[in-house]
């Protein structure tokens, strides 16, 4: 099950065994077909959105700039976790090297932290558009949009470096079986045979700063939007704004609820089956739903898509 490597007086595992989403052979084939379909659908949706935004000049606006970033992120996001999920469903429990596990963890943390701050930036963009429309060209000029996007990616990178370094520096003496479908923080902390208080503290503080900070910004923006919408004189404009914000809030609520439950708690999570179910929500469900809710229901995107079909 493991190949030990002697490092001084400490024996460290060189590989882990991922049990996968399910160990039941009778359901693995069905789940494999379902998740493979969802994976390909997510890639198709986000590729289409990126193509439409890049190829239609009328979509060269701040909102679509952020949506293009989100689509690019979602494609990377599902490509970090979904292949290992599919391999586990196809072959059953399988081995992953220590280096590969830490690499997957690093990219996963980069992307999930970036998504948190990017969703907050998108909420701020909608706040400025609805609550301060006269100042929108100034407050959301290209330099500001680029700065917000770069800050999101850079923040996720810095947090991931700190968290992955702490987790990789722990000693793993065995067992080496991860009850998960990818290398995540809590399953790895559960396997560590050394004191993890400092690592848990770093994990908790980063979750507070990134998750709670970005969630607070998003909630504040949507509350301000809600107040502005209620004071609109046009009933049609009010319904349109409320419909858009409600759909956005559904995605934000699902994503943040799952991630906060798992990562913003100052202790290791023991209920690994619940952990896996919640992980499916923010690694599979939200990347598939985001393009539909944020873009494909949008009239400008629909019009650009129709023009693309007619041109072809």
């Amino acid at each position: 099950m493991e190949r030990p490597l002697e490092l001084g007086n400490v024996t460290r595992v060189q590989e882990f065994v991922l049990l996968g989403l399910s160990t039941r052979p009778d359901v693995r084939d069905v789940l494999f077909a379902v998740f493979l379909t969802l994976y390909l659908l997510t890639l198709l949706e986000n590729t289409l959105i990126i193509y439409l935004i890049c190829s239609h000049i009328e979509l060269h606006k701040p909102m679509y700039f952020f949506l293009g970033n989100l689509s690019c992120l979602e494609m990377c996001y599902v490509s970090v976790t979904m292949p290992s999920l599919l391999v586990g469903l196809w072959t059953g429990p399988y081995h992953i090297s220590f280096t590969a596990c830490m690499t997957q963890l690093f990219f996963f943390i980069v992307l999930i932290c970036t998504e948190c701050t990017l969703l907050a930036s998108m909420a701020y963009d909608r706040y400025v558009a609805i609550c301060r429309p006269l100042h929108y060209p100034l407050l959301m000029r290209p330099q500001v949009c680029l700065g917000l996007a770069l800050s999101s990616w850079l923040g996720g990178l810095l947090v991931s470096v700190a968290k992955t370094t702490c987790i990789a520096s722990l000693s793993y003496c065995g067992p080496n079986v991860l009850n998960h479908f990818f290398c995540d923080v809590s399953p790895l902390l559960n396997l560590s045979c050394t004191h993890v208080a400092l690592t848990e503290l770093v994990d908790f503080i980063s979750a507070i700063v990134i998750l709670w900070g970005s969630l607070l910004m998003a909630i504040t923006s949507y509350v301000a939007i809600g107040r502005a919408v209620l004071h609109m004189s046009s009933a049609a404009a009010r319904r349109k704004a409320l419909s858009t914000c409600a759909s956005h809030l559904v995605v934000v609520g699902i994503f943040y609820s799952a991630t906060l439950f798992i990562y913003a708690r100052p202790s290791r999570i023991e209920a690994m089956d619940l952990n896996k179910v919640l992980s499916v929500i923010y690694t599979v469900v939200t990347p598939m739903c985001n393009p539909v809710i944020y873009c494909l229901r949008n009239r400008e995107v629909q019009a650009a898509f129709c023009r693309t079909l007619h041109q072809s």
Side-chain angles (χ1 to χ4, degrees), residues 49-66 136 140 142 145 300 304:
I49 288 171
I50 293 172
Y51 171 76
L52 292 175
I53 292 174
C54 292
S55 61
H56 290 80
I57 193 168
E58 65 271 19
L59 299 182
H60 293 179
K61 300 176 182 178
M63 180 176 74
Y64 299 110
F65 170 75
F66 288 118
Y136 187 79
M140 298 306 296
C145 295
E300 288 183 304

Side-chain angles (χ1 to χ4, degrees), residues 42-301:
T42 301
L43 293 179
L44 177 62
E45 289 174 341
N46 287 288
T47 301
L48 175 62
I49 288 171
I50 293 172
Y51 171 76
L52 292 175
I53 292 174
C54 292
S55 61
H56 290 80
I57 193 168
E58 65 271 19
L59 299 182
H60 293 179
K61 300 176 182 178
M63 180 176 74
Y64 299 110
F65 170 75
F66 288 118
L67 290 172
N69 271 269
L70 183 64
S71 291
C72 180
L73 184 146
E74 300 289 23
M75 292 176 68
C76 298
Y77 193 36
V78 295
S79 296
V80 167
T81 57
M82 191 69 86
S84 62
L85 186 153
L86 293 172
V87 170
L89 291 174
W90 183 258
T91 66
Y94 71 100
H95 294 253
I96 182 172
S97 69
F98 182 88
T99 302
C101 185
M102 292 302 139
T103 301
Q104 184 184 49
L105 177 69
F106 171 78
F107 284 109
F108 172 73
I109 296 174
V110 168
L111 295 168
I112 194 172
C113 291
T114 301
E115 178 159 4
C116 289
T117 50
L118 196 57
L119 288 175
S121 298
M122 293 168 63
Y124 174 72
D125 170 72
R126 292 298 83 205
Y127 158 75
V128 177
I130 295 175
C131 300
R132 305 186 65 181
L134 297 179
H135 297 90
Y136 187 79
L138 175 64
L139 294 177
M140 298 306 296
R141 58 191 183 275
Q143 297 90 330
V144 175
C145 295
L146 183 61
L148 288 172
L150 287 176
S151 297
S152 298
W153 288 95
L154 182 60
L157 179 65
L158 294 176
V159 170
S160 184
V161 168
K163 294 179 71 167
T164 307
T165 300
C166 288
I167 294 172
S169 65
L170 297 174
S171 296
Y172 299 92
C173 315
N176 66 335
V177 178
L178 292 171
N179 185 16
H180 213 310
F181 57 86
F182 70 98
C183 293
D184 201 1
V185 175
S186 293
L188 287 167
L189 291 181
N190 286 335
L191 291 187
S192 174
C193 56
T194 54
H195 196 54
V196 297
L198 178 61
T199 304
E200 287 183 340
L201 181 62
V202 171
D203 184 46
F204 182 60
I205 292 175
S206 62
I208 291 293
V209 173
I210 296 293
L211 294 179
W212 284 109
S214 57
L215 177 60
L216 181 62
M217 181 177 176
I219 290 176
T220 302
S221 298
Y222 283 120
V223 168
I225 290 171
R227 293 177 60 183
V229 167
L230 292 176
H231 289 89
M232 288 180 176
S233 57
S234 170
R238 192 160 53 243
R239 282 194 300 270
K240 179 181 177 182
L242 285 174
S243 174
T244 301
C245 290
S247 60
H248 290 193
L249 282 171
V250 168
V251 172
V252 170
I254 293 174
F255 176 80
Y256 278 106
S257 297
T259 52
L260 285 171
F261 181 84
I262 293 179
Y263 298 108
R265 308 193 328 171
S267 61
R268 292 174 285 185
I269 299 176
E270 302 296 340
M272 283 297 116
D273 289 334
L274 175 61
N275 194 359
K276 287 193 286 188
V277 172
L278 293 174
S279 296
V280 168
I281 293 175
Y282 63 81
T283 60
V284 179
V285 177
T286 54
M288 183 191 65
C289 293
N290 281 348
V292 176
I293 292 177
Y294 280 111
C295 274
L296 300 181
R297 293 174 67 250
N298 183 287
R299 290 184 179 179
E300 288 183 304
V301 175

